[in-house]
Amino acid sequence: MKSELELLKIELDGILNASNDNIVVTDGKGEVLRVSSNCSIIYGRERSDLVGTTVSQLERDHIFYPSVTLKVLKEKKEVQVMQKTPTNKIIMATGIPVFDEKGIIVRIISFSHDLTEIQQLKEDYEQLRTKMLRYEYEIEELREKDMMTARVVMNSKAMKEINQLVQRVAVSDATVVLLGESGVGKNVFARKLHDGSERKEEPFIEVNCGAIPDTLFESEIFGYESGAFTGADKRGKAGMVELADQGTLFLDEIAELPLAIQVKLLKVLQEKKVSRIGSHEVKNVNFRLVAATNQNLEEMVAQGKFRKDLFYRLNVIPITIPPLRDRKDDINQLAQYYLSFFNQKYETNKVFNSTTIDAFHHYEWPGNVRELENMIERLVVTTATTMIYPSSLPFAKEMDALELHTEEWSLENFEQQGLSLQEVLQEVEKGWLKRAYRQYKTTYEMAGYLGVSQSTVVRRLKKYNINSK
Ligand SMILES: Nc1ncnc2c1ncn2[C@@H]1O[C@H](COP(=O)(O)OP(=O)(O)OP(=O)(O)O)[C@@H](O)[C@H]1O
Ligand SMILES: [Mg+2]
């Protein structure tokens, strides 16, 4: 006959063997008395190696690391700790003290759950979140740039050459820096570089260096780990460099990059590795870099405002887009393109009076294509008449000096001057030729516009002595 005590021991061993949990029982000093059978799997040690050993020793050996039992002994209450086991499992251990009637701890029972799977899930979730963030940026980019899907209008020789260069360079992985005044189309061509590359299905991540507050630069560009700094997103966040992996990183307004960030960026460009702030983990990144600025980087280097080493790193293929005033051959096409674009958008059918187009050719366009685009939108929306006259232009007053009045050719005017029919016809012909001459580069183009042969154009230009715009 077995004693009650023996039966109780058998019962307890039965429970410990059958349990799927990891159960460890120690005495009041922390010496291990019993462990469940699962413990040998999770801790990678035989039960016999654990039983009889103190938890302090096991903690030193990084088996119970850190020991929950020691913590219970110290705090004299139930506690929880996360442990990393020799078998590389992440487990959550709970230790519960058992007191005798005098309030002295006589036993500590701890049990733990394997969190490795949850940890794995967390990592998967983190990756998913990074992906989502990447899509978010891309969608935003697409929304902003729905014009991007629209045509890149070009007619001038200069722009056609740039376009060809961009198409050739796009397929290479070379770093490109796009230069030119504000509004000339640097973003348009940055996107073209991506769309024409083998990375086109991968993300195009645009960073507007001019729009990020100084204090956020580092975290925005390199990302941060959870709890890296106060105010940060608790879960941590991938930086733009990480998001651009496999795709294109477009650093717009690169001249605005603070010097401290320039150093870090250069390191990333050289090593093709990035780690988030507050993390030791190093990630490989592979992206194509495109940068843009309307500043003179060389001058900034000379003034010590931009790092020379970074400048050389970026300046592999510089592409300068000329201002609109230096490629007036684009104006007509751009104006017509945006007119029909906004006519469609606002369901209108406005047309330009030809003098208005003339005025466009005379204007300097300090804001380049963006200014033209915005102006045409405003004209389409605000002009009351179907015909858009130069008087509606914001720079109409300055234009007066350029004799762009339509009234010049009014019948009343001809009458007042007492012109004969022949003279009126010549006046009109001369004016019309002048206009064509201003708008087109070649006599062939003029001929197409005027609906006459090229030799006629040449003869008439000579007749009226038209040779200046
Ligand atoms: N060739 C073009 N055809 C049609 N639209 C154009 C062309 N070039 C520029 N645009 C339009 O002009 C506007 C300004 O272009 P973009 O944003 O690329 O200029 P930017 O050079 O990047 O200017 P900034 O230096 O101010 O950033 C955009 O709306 C763009 O779609
Ligand atoms: Mg831009």
Side-chain angles (χ1 to χ4, degrees), residues 17 44 46 77 81 143 176 185 212 241 245 268 273 369 371 392 394-395:
N17 284 335
E46 289 300 319
K77 60 171 190 187
V81 296
R143 247 186 231 135
V176 177
I212 305 175
V241 168
D245 189 29
V268 172
K273 286 182 167 79
V369 186
E371 187 184 3
S392 305
F395 48 81

Side-chain angles (χ1 to χ4, degrees), residues 209-265:
C209 302
I212 305 175
D214 267 14
T215 48
L216 291 184
F217 251 110
E218 231 186 317
S219 53
E220 284 285 319
I221 295 186
F222 305 109
Y224 56 84
E225 214 36 75
S226 49
F229 53 90
T230 44
D233 188 325
K234 264 213 255 18
R235 295 162 299 181
K237 195 172 154 197
M240 306 282 205
V241 168
E242 206 179 315
L243 295 176
D245 189 29
Q246 306 305 320
T248 303
L249 179 67
F250 174 42
L251 297 178
D252 200 5
E253 300 191 36
I254 188 129
E256 307 294 324
L257 215 58
L259 283 166
I261 306 294
Q262 291 181 22
V263 184
K264 279 197 100 174
L265 178 68

